[in-house]
Amino acid sequence: MLTPNTFFWEPDIVSAGTTAANPQLQFFENFPAHAGAAYAGFSNGTLSIHAVNIPLSISFNNVVALMSVSSAALSALSGTIQFGLYSLNAATLSLANSASGAVAEGGSANSWYSMVTSATQNISPGAWYFGVNFFTGGIATDHSSASFYGNSSINPGNAIPIGFLMGRVTASTNAMPASIATSDLDRTGSDAIRQQYIIITA
Amino acid sequence: MGQLIFNNNLNYIGPQSNLTYLNGSLSFVPYTIFDSISLGTFNILYRSKVATGGTHTLSLGLYSLTGSTLTLANSGSLPISVTGIHWESITTWSSTQNISPGTWFWGFLFSTNVSSLADLFGVKTIGAANAFPGGFIGGAMSESTNALPSSFATSNIDSIGLPELMIPVIILNS
């Protein structure tokens, strides 16, 4: 079992209880209660990374995103959605696991898209980093017909002034990097802080 | 592991949507608990549209999930005859329970002797056109019922549409 960094927060604890077996989540979503804000476009091949705090262990079997794909006025869309689970050590993100899935034209508006993981893993509690990427193999404008459900488009003028929480890789990619230096990530602007709604289920 | 004093699924009470529940419709709502908590007082933010002389009854079940089967672990009920927006609470349960950490599911079953509907305040944002392709995250029974089932297969639960995955504010006190 991989061990991540320390918690961002601690749950409320009144007094120490008896030690329990390792409790498991049935699912984890980065937006509690599905509380995303809107669908937002995604720059082709731009890897977006954001931090989450997973409170209990969870079996990493299915990764699901919510997307809206329009087929109007476009030729055949052939897209791939990728997910990367990263841990952070000092200033380096390291790929712990990954998943990918196909996105095709003709899907209904507002559909779930699932991704298959590359390896079985039981994710331990703590801080992890979700990497999300989407790219198309068709014409360059294909990706504009796809958008992810996520947070709202806030556009701060400066980077968040604490440790790394979110950012994006500036160069387009069609694969999850094995490691990323956080200093190489763009952390300013709406694209940098955009977070896609992700659910991991056992 | 320690003991929680309270557990709030949303961590805030902000501008939220009205979640309308139909008479006889059983909805399963996920509820994650990060540490143990004694099952004490269950609180929801309720907006009743009960007509004069009418009564709503909420039958509430606490379900665990093993594989693809939901199993009833505890239950309580709440008769409501007021109108307007109120905090409503359930304090009496079928058994004493210290809820262990993990993912649980609340089964909400409303019944009424009038035609009015019940609203809870919460989050209503997901309206996917297809069934959720991963493990079970909640949903509603397709057929109406008048009692909480002791066990239920998740394959018989509808997860398509906006009402099926809405999440009410739920605050649990020890």
Side-chain angles (χ1 to χ4, degrees), chain A residues 1 12 16 42 48 51 63 96 116 119 122 133 138 141 144 150 157 161 169 171 173 176 192:
Chain A
M1 179 184 294
D12 299 319
F42 198 92
S48 177
V63 183
V116 179
N122 199 51
N133 189 29
T141 55
S144 64
V169 177
T173 180
M176 284 290 160

Side-chain angles (χ1 to χ4, degrees), chain A residues 9 11-21 23-27 29 32-36 39 55-56 62 64 66 108-114 149 197 199 201-202, chain B residues 1-6 9-12 30 32-35 65-67 101-103 105 123 125-138 159 165-167:
Chain A
W9 57 273
D12 299 319
I13 298 177
V14 176
S15 60
T18 57
T19 301
Q24 295 278 125
L25 293 173
Q26 295 284 355
F27 71 91
E29 55 185 349
H34 328 315
Y39 288 89
L56 296 170
N62 293 284
V64 181
L66 184 61
S108 302
N110 313 344
S111 296
W112 301 107
Y113 288 87
S114 63
Y149 190 67
Y197 177 50
I199 302 181
T201 72
Chain B
M1 311 285 294
Q3 289 284 130
L4 294 173
I5 298 173
F6 72 93
N9 60 342
L10 299 184
N11 287 327
Y12 68 101
T32 299
I33 298 176
F34 307 141
D35 231 331
L65 177 65
T66 302
T103 307
F105 293 85
V123 177
T125 57
I126 300 295
N130 58 334
F132 186 75
F136 182 67
I137 63 169
S159 66
L165 294 182
M166 55 191 184
I167 304 291

Side-chain angles (χ1 to χ4, degrees), chain A residues 24-192:
Chain A
Q24 295 278 125
L25 293 173
Q26 295 284 355
F27 71 91
F28 173 80
E29 55 185 349
N30 54 352
F31 298 166
H34 328 315
Y39 288 89
F42 198 92
S43 298
N44 199 21
T46 300
L47 174 56
S48 177
I49 302 176
H50 67 272
V52 294
N53 199 6
I54 298 180
L56 296 170
S57 297
I58 182 170
S59 177
F60 185 46
N61 282 336
N62 293 284
V63 183
V64 181
L66 184 61
M67 298 180 69
S68 179
V69 179
S70 171
S71 62
L74 288 176
S75 59
L77 172 67
S78 174
T80 300
I81 177 173
Q82 295 177 324
F83 173 83
L85 179 69
Y86 286 87
S87 62
L88 179 65
N89 187 2
T92 301
L93 292 159
S94 299
L95 185 66
N97 212 324
S98 63
S100 65
V103 177
E105 180 199 38
S108 302
N110 313 344
S111 296
W112 301 107
Y113 288 87
S114 63
M115 292 165 270
V116 179
T117 58
S118 60
T120 302
Q121 177 185 354
N122 199 51
I123 304 173
S124 56
W128 292 91
Y129 299 79
F130 285 179
V132 180
N133 189 29
F134 175 69
F135 61 93
T136 61
I139 59 177
T141 55
D142 275 354
H143 73 276
S144 64
S145 67
S147 57
F148 280 87
Y149 190 67
N151 62 348
S152 59
S153 293
I154 301 171
N155 189 16
N158 59 335
I160 190 167
I162 58 176
F164 176 73
L165 284 183
M166 58 200 77
R168 63 169 185 158
V169 177
T170 53
S172 63
T173 180
N174 61 4
M176 284 290 160
S179 65
I180 306 170
T182 57
S183 57
D184 292 341
L185 295 170
D186 174 20
R187 306 190 198 186
T188 305
S190 59
D191 282 352

